[in-house]
Amino acid sequence: MAAYIIRRVFGAVLLLLIVSAVTFAIFFLVPRLAGQTMDQLAAQYVGKDANPQSIAAVKHNLGLDQPLYTQYWHFIKQIFVGATYNFGPDASQCHAPCFGYSFKRHVEVWPQLTQRIPVTLSLAVGAAVIWLVSGIAIGVVSALKRGSLLDRFFMGVALAGVSLPIFFTGMLALGVFTVQWPIWEGVNYVAFTDNPADWAWNLLIPWCSLAFLYSALYARLTRAGMLETMGEDYIRTARAKGLKESRVIGKHGLRAALTPIVTIFGMDFGLLLGGAVITETVFSFPGLGQYAVKSVQDNDLPIVMGVTLVAAFFIVICNLLVDLVYAAIDPRVRLS
């Protein structure tokens, strides 16, 4: 087991390096291949009112006048040791971890991201708990009651959940519960440290709207997996030994059916941690997704790059955790 964990951690670190190289290439190498000059690239970091002095300063700060491999080394180095950006007589220190500096807003990227990560994390964790519990429970019940009216009803609701996009269900929920039936006066993010009750209350509609989409998919996957595993020979053997039906379903049937669920959950949760763009935009939550959209609209490339790196980090870490959970669920994975 220890060797398996070491292999997976080493693979995750290597993957993060590859992701950082690809991200760097998208923002610095691809524009060169498209014919952009270094002055034109630096002007994108300054803004519309760029002047020759500010362009020259940004070009020097980003190292655009240096070889590409030197730029990538400084790009990786500043994450761990920070960087200093000079603006004539003035200088700005980007403390480690330094994910870049927004020359348009004159702020470090990492503190801006850390202010928004708790919002996205709150949204993702709450919705994930709801869709995981409800999706698996509905899928198991539907598989055990295959062909019944309950099964058809659950699968009909699941089909609607998969078909309806989040911007539709989110706006519908807002219209119903804040306008038609004003149970909520409004949905605004409240920090958990300020008021845990208000935090949960304001996140309930976004949680349920997001979970409705994902729980429908998980219910269908769980049902399909349970129908397959409950027909296996080892299930009949377990029943022939006289084991309780709840033990047969929970330990032998559901455990084997959880493998694809764990896989897709790692991907879905990692993507949400990288920024639930549509959900945060619909509910006006100041998370990573909404911040990324505004940065793209403002053409603020350092912030876009920072969000990209943080999103990639979350996805890689979630996939690493999935590999470790795999080994706990199915011991055969450790030998692969």
Side-chain angles (χ1 to χ4, degrees), residues 134-219:
S134 60
I136 292 177
I138 291 173
V140 170
V141 173
S142 295
L144 297 178
K145 302 291 183 179
R146 181 182 182 183
S148 65
L149 290 176
L150 187 63
D151 176 32
R152 295 176 182 177
F153 171 75
F154 281 153
M155 289 302 100
V157 174
L159 180 61
V162 172
S163 305
L164 297 176
I166 182 62
F167 61 81
F168 174 80
T169 55
M171 294 299 293
L172 181 63
L174 280 177
V176 171
F177 295 109
T178 64
V179 179
Q180 187 69 26
W181 301 328
I183 300 175
W184 281 263
E185 295 182 359
V187 177
N188 301 297
Y189 178 78
V190 177
F192 179 82
T193 53
D194 293 342
N195 191 318
D198 286 345
W199 169 82
W201 179 251
N202 281 275
L203 280 167
L204 190 57
I205 291 181
W207 280 345
C208 294
S209 300
L210 193 57
F212 181 61
L213 170 64
Y214 284 96
S215 62
L217 176 60
Y218 281 64

Side-chain angles (χ1 to χ4, degrees), residues 13-23 72:
V13 172
L14 181 61
L15 183 57
L16 283 172
L17 285 175
I18 295 174
V19 168
S20 68
V22 172
T23 304
Y72 179 66

Side-chain angles (χ1 to χ4, degrees), residues 235 238 242-255:
I235 296 294
L243 295 179
K244 293 182 179 180
E245 187 66 15
S246 59
R247 185 175 179 83
V248 172
I249 295 172
K251 184 176 181 179
H252 298 283
L254 181 59
R255 184 175 181 178

Side-chain angles (χ1 to χ4, degrees), residues 23 33 42 61 110 122 161 163 177 242 250 255 279 291 315 336:
T23 304
L33 298 177
N61 285 326
W110 178 245
S122 299
S163 305
F177 295 109
R255 184 175 181 178
T279 307
Y291 194 49
I315 293 173
S336 61

